[in-house]
Amino acid sequence: MRKNSIKNTRINGEVRRELSNIIRGEIKDPRISSMTSVVEVEVAPDLKSAKAYISVLGDEKARQDTLEGLKSAEGYIRRALAKSINLRNTPEIRFVLDQSIEYGVNMSKLIDDVNKGSKEDKDDEDDKAEN
């Protein structure tokens, strides 16, 4: 199976959906933040391993605690995934902290600040031109 085949894309989506349900509803670890979302899952073509990109809303401590909680619950998550998804092999999941959402919000804020600054400069120039 090729990496970007239709089958692999469907498996990635199904694993992401089930992983999200497991993290949200079944894990009771207090270290895992309630504002945790599964952004993307990349399952290897041989179905032996998977990278799960996790986004956590909160400070750096909440991110690290959530990552530790997920790593300690890997066995349980893999077993629950095996029960819910019928695959030849249940992938071994590695959790990776994804900060793309936070990066996008930060960039949007910076762009808004620049736009607001240029608008204020333009207003100042207009006032000077009227005088």
Side-chain angles (χ1 to χ4, degrees), residues 52 65 84 92 99:
D65 288 346
S84 62
E92 182 179 329
Q99 297 177 337

Side-chain angles (χ1 to χ4, degrees), residues 3 8 18 22 25 47 52 68 75 77 79 91 94 97 100 105 110 116 120 130:
K3 185 172 183 177
N8 193 273
E18 288 300 325
I22 292 167
L47 304 177
E68 287 175 18
I77 293 170
R79 202 167 32 255
R94 286 190 306 128
L97 197 58
S100 63
V105 168
L110 290 173
K116 189 167 66 171
E120 290 173 359
E130 290 176 2

Side-chain angles (χ1 to χ4, degrees), residues 36-92:
T36 301
S37 61
V38 181
V39 177
E40 185 65 38
V41 174
E42 292 178 359
V43 179
D46 62 356
L47 304 177
K48 298 279 187 185
S49 64
K51 280 186 191 176
Y53 295 94
I54 304 295
S55 177
V56 180
L57 187 64
D59 61 344
E60 188 61 34
K61 184 178 180 340
R63 289 186 196 106
Q64 293 306 320
D65 288 346
T66 299
L67 211 52
E68 287 175 18
L70 289 172
K71 284 183 181 178
S72 71
E74 275 180 358
Y76 174 78
I77 293 170
R78 188 174 183 192
R79 202 167 32 255
L81 198 60
K83 287 179 184 176
S84 62
I85 297 179
N86 185 18
L87 291 174
R88 184 181 320 128
N89 298 317
T90 303
E92 182 179 329

